Amino acid sequence: DFTSKKGALQQLRVVIMATALTPTRVSLRFVHAWAYARRLFGVPLGPLGPAPLYVPLWLLFAVLRFCVNLFRLATRKARLPPPNPYFDVTYIDEDTRCHRTGEGNIFIQCRPGRGVAKLAPGSA
């Protein structure tokens, strides 16, 4: 949900399928999204409320990849292979795990109310 009332979107829901490739690596496939719009083409929807818009992400990604590769062809650069989104999971202990994405981003997750003190600076 987007808390700002100024944006065109009120909510964006993305459906992702995950597949375990190894005991520590998970592959992701973006299936589709529902975008709940407050405005369409700049026109407020008013009393109708947010309009649900179905977005087939495989088609969106295919069009984007085509456009990027067309541009790269025109500028004589090598084509880009299709992205392969994934993340690696490392379980630090029973309450804490670390995710490293294919882009190198790192996320640390803890169970609510547990494990946070161990990660706080200066905690013993």
Side-chain angles (χ1 to χ4, degrees), residues 24-104:
T24 59
R25 181 164 288 185
V26 177
S27 173
L28 302 173
R29 185 169 66 89
F30 294 85
V31 181
H32 64 265
W34 285 96
Y36 293 84
R38 290 189 184 101
R39 291 188 297 277
L40 285 176
F41 305 108
V43 178
L45 296 175
L48 299 175
L53 304 171
Y54 177 77
V55 182
L57 294 177
W58 64 269
L59 179 62
L60 178 65
F61 291 152
V63 169
L64 287 174
R65 189 169 49 245
F66 174 78
C67 292
V68 166
N69 283 326
L70 188 63
F71 174 77
R72 294 182 70 82
L73 179 67
T75 58
R76 299 181 189 268
K77 294 183 179 177
R79 286 184 57 197
L80 292 175
N84 185 15
Y86 70 89
F87 63 88
D88 294 321
V89 181
T90 303
Y91 290 92
I92 297 170
D93 60 23
E94 62 195 33
D95 298 326
T96 311
R97 66 183 176 198
C98 176
H99 294 217
R100 182 181 195 97
T101 69
E103 297 174 334

